[in-house]
């Protein structure tokens, strides 16, 4: 049979601050003979993203998908915050981001479990509101991951539903507001 060596280390990303590919290889140590088992794949590719520029500045945050869940969950957060870890002044902190949904997977419409039914209300072309609140808010930057900070209105951003990673899609940022004003079925929170 064919005999191959160990995989090499993964190469680095060719580009920084944008999704790219990395590669690893292995080499044939013995070719198959007399109808022996053929060689397996000698090269593998995987996605990668370098989150720092050559100057050491963070740049990958805009490529991270926004993880969202129903705004109903924020009531539970507020109840917990009142009784535990977060000071009450942080409870009021936060902001809202409006997005226009561009695409979504068909898996969202198939959801029927009680805690994931909210995914069925996601629609292409609709405006949705996503609130950024503690504890999803980073304590240093006061931002939520995937909020589209510094993204212009034409940039396609990615989101994923918490509870079903196959329910995902893209949207474009419309604007950031202090408070959300979307109907409940189009209101979500960053997680």
């Amino acid at each position: 049979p064919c005999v191959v060596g160990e995989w090499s280390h993964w190469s680095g990303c060719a580009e920084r601050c944008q999704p790219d590919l990395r590669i690893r290889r292995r080499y044939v140590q013995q070719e198959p003979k007399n109808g022996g088992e053929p060689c397996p794949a000698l090269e593998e590719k995987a996605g990668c993203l370098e989150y720092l520029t050559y100057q050491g500045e963070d740049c990958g945050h805009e490529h991270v998908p926004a993880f969202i869940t129903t705004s109903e969950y924020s009531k539970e957060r507020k109840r917990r915050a009142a009784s535990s870890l977060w000071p009450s002044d942080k409870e009021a902190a936060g902001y809202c981001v409006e997005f226009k949904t561009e695409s979504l997977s068909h898996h969202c419409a198939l959801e029927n479990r009680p805690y994931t039914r909210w995914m069925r209300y996601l629609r292409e072309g609709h405006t949705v509101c996503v609130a950024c609140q503690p504890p999803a808010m980073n304590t240093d930057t006061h931002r939520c991951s995937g909020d589209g900070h510094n993204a212009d209105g034409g940039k396609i951003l990615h989101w994923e539903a918490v509870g079903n990673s196959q329910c995902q899609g893209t949207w474009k940022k419309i604007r950031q507001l202090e408070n959300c004003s979307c109907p409940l079925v189009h209101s979500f929170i960053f997680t």
Side-chain angles (χ1 to χ4, degrees):
C2 178
V3 176
V4 294
E6 295 293 314
W7 286 109
S8 68
H9 291 288
W10 285 104
S11 69
C13 287
E15 296 285 332
R16 289 185 173 263
C17 302
Q18 53 187 312
D20 206 345
L21 287 177
R22 57 189 178 145
I23 300 170
R24 68 178 185 170
R25 294 183 171 95
R26 57 186 174 184
Y27 297 93
V28 175
Q29 293 178 333
Q30 176 184 298
E31 293 286 345
K33 295 180 185 142
N34 301 322
E37 196 172 313
C39 295
L42 300 176
E43 187 176 273
E44 281 187 340
K45 294 179 181 177
C48 66
L49 177 62
E50 289 287 343
Y51 287 89
L52 296 175
T53 65
Y54 290 111
Q55 294 77 30
E57 296 167 24
D58 179 26
C59 62
H61 58 275
E62 64 190 58
H63 298 290
V64 176
F67 292 98
I68 62 169
T69 191
T70 175
S71 63
E72 290 289 299
Y73 183 69
S74 68
K75 292 176 187 169
E76 177 63 22
R77 272 188 182 166
K78 285 180 178 144
R79 210 169 69 226
R80 278 195 207 152
S83 65
S84 70
L85 310 167
W86 304 297
S88 57
D89 62 291
K90 279 196 178 176
E91 190 182 332
Y95 59 91
C96 179
V97 185
E98 283 184 1
F99 296 96
K100 181 176 181 233
T101 55
E102 295 288 312
S103 70
L104 64 141
S105 65
H106 72 280
H107 297 282
C108 304
L110 303 176
E111 272 301 342
N112 208 16
R113 295 172 289 171
Y115 64 94
T116 57
R117 278 195 196 117
W118 60 271
M119 296 175 199
R120 295 189 303 186
Y121 297 102
L122 290 161
R123 297 281 186 277
E124 286 180 15
H126 283 199
T127 298
V128 297
C129 294
V130 189
C132 176
Q133 311 163 331
M137 184 185 288
N138 180 300
T139 52
D140 295 327
T141 64
H142 299 288
R143 305 214 67 83
C144 285
S145 184
D147 71 352
H149 180 60
N150 290 337
D152 63 36
K155 186 163 182 64
I156 299 283
L157 303 166
H158 296 268
W159 58 268
E160 185 176 306
V162 172
N164 178 358
S165 61
Q166 292 182 306
C167 176
Q168 55 185 271
T170 59
W171 55 24
K172 289 182 179 177
K173 181 178 176 181
I174 299 172
R175 61 188 167 166
Q176 181 175 319
L177 306 164
E178 270 191 51
N179 298 303
C180 291
S181 60
C182 290
L184 189 61
V185 291
H186 299 300
S187 296
F188 308 100
I189 57 171
F190 291 102
T191 57

